[in-house]
Amino acid sequence: MFKTVGVLGAGQMGSGIAHVFAQHAYQVLVFDISEAQLSKALKSIEQNLERQAKKGVIFDTSIQGIMARITATKELKDFAGCDLVIEAATENEALKFDLFRKLDEVVKKEAILASNTSSISITRIAAVTKRPDQVIGMHFMNPVPVMQLVEVIRGIATSDETFEAIGHLVGLLNKQMAVSQDYPGFIVNRVLIPMINEAVFALYEGIATAEDIDKGMKLGTNQPMGPLQLADFIGLDTVLAICNVLHDGFKDPKYRPCPLLVKMVDAGYLGKKSGKGFYNY
């Protein structure tokens, strides 16, 4: 069913999604408004493919063919012939609404529109289009080529045909699907973000150092990375945005973001991407 896949956004998630689809023989168009970001994404994909080749995941000889299947564009109209477009833009509701309105006008009527959102309502996104039955959530995990999970979210109007097509596609990508209803945070972030926020509260209240909080969770619960380090890798601005989605969506004070998290984001301490978060990079 799917031959050409569009990826809207050439950041870390978008480039990872493009990588996986091209690796599995799909033609991929990657859109971004920034020429520099597109160049960075293509370079990053090639470097990640080289790493996979060194580990024996793919053959060296396949890299050139995979890269040849990826086309970068700054023109949204180039998505016209896509069978599926996955939006992987910043976690901002107004931005996503605007992009889906534009995609709905550009992309052929039978195409499916998916969002890689980690917390924003698929029902609300779908409602700005004329094809709400063909809109679905496909939340890939970071780093996309490595992580096996795709969280699939049905909006209230998502058709069985759309859901079944995407479920089949996840299998073809050699990934596993977890199905979530369309409520704030879905599955993964509904559980993960409150844990991270509680770890920030533990630091804020002086219960322990960042190092000891992370050590406790790594060695005490067998997590590969402590919650504060993970927050730095996700980006503290993204963690805060999802906290706010949960808090606004459920109107429950248990989702209130820690004041320390808010202060750090205000200061520009966003984690690994800014060089400073709970740790220095």
Side-chain angles (χ1 to χ4, degrees):
M1 179 183 176
F2 302 112
K3 292 181 180 176
T4 305
V5 177
V7 179
L8 198 161
Q12 192 172 33
M13 292 304 295
S15 62
I17 293 166
H19 173 150
V20 167
F21 274 96
Q23 186 180 330
H24 287 84
Y26 294 90
Q27 293 295 321
V28 181
L29 273 77
V30 184
F31 168 89
D32 205 282
I33 56 171
S34 164
E35 189 74 49
Q37 189 62 50
L38 286 168
S39 298
K40 182 180 175 184
L42 292 173
K43 186 177 179 183
S44 171
I45 292 168
E46 190 163 18
Q47 288 173 340
N48 287 331
L49 286 167
E50 287 166 358
R51 284 193 195 98
Q52 285 181 313
K54 283 178 184 172
K55 291 177 181 175
V57 176
I58 60 171
F59 294 111
D60 275 325
T61 50
S62 67
I63 294 175
Q64 190 175 352
I66 294 169
M67 292 303 300
R69 287 194 285 272
I70 303 172
T71 303
T73 180
K74 289 175 69 181
E75 298 291 337
L76 212 56
K77 69 178 189 298
D78 289 345
F79 282 163
C82 290
D83 305 302
L84 166 69
V85 175
I86 302 170
E87 167 272 317
T90 307
E91 197 72 350
N92 177 290
E93 189 178 71
L95 173 64
K96 290 186 190 294
F97 286 178
D98 182 54
L99 291 171
F100 270 80
R101 284 190 194 98
K102 290 174 179 173
L103 286 172
D104 192 40
E105 295 298 322
V106 167
V107 181
K108 61 185 179 182
K109 285 183 167 51
E110 61 270 30
I112 290 174
L113 303 180
S115 177
N116 182 58
T117 179
S118 57
S119 62
I120 294 169
S121 167
I122 299 302
T123 299
R124 285 170 59 81
I125 291 172
V128 307
T129 74
K130 297 183 182 75
R131 62 179 96 191
D133 57 317
Q134 292 159 243
V135 177
I136 196 164
M138 284 185 83
H139 178 211
F140 290 82
M141 304 294 134
N142 187 34
V144 182
V146 175
M147 300 294 277
Q148 290 298 299
L149 182 71
V150 180
E151 201 173 26
V152 175
I153 305 99
R154 297 186 70 156
I156 197 168
T158 304
S159 69
D160 289 342
E161 292 78 10
T162 297
F163 173 72
E164 286 162 13
I166 293 302
H168 181 63
L169 176 63
V170 170
L172 293 175
L173 296 174
N174 291 328
K175 295 196 180 291
Q176 297 287 324
M177 175 173 71
V179 182
S180 174
Q181 294 301 309
D182 188 22
Y183 292 105
F186 315 136
I187 302 167
V188 174
N189 283 323
R190 174 78 179 267
V191 176
L192 175 65
I193 296 300
M195 182 191 75
I196 289 174
N197 194 45
E198 195 61 31
V200 182
F201 266 113
L203 180 65
Y204 172 65
E205 293 168 7
I207 291 170
T209 63
E211 290 80 3
D212 279 349
I213 291 166
D214 279 352
K215 185 190 291 182
M217 294 306 292
K218 280 172 67 178
L219 302 183
T221 65
N222 206 27
Q223 295 181 30
M225 186 182 292
L228 299 176
Q229 186 185 9
L230 179 56
D232 277 353
F233 275 70
I234 293 169
L236 303 195
D237 51 341
T238 302
V239 172
L240 178 59
I242 300 169
C243 274
N244 285 328
V245 166
L246 291 168
H247 190 236
D248 294 343
F250 290 114
K251 304 292 190 288
D252 188 327
K254 75 178 181 180
Y255 297 114
R256 175 178 67 98
C258 178
L260 176 59
L261 178 62
V262 176
K263 185 189 285 189
M264 290 178 73
V265 172
D266 286 345
Y269 299 165
L270 307 181
K272 191 170 186 289
K273 63 186 173 185
S274 70
K276 184 173 177 62
F278 295 107
Y279 300 93
N280 295 319
Y281 299 90

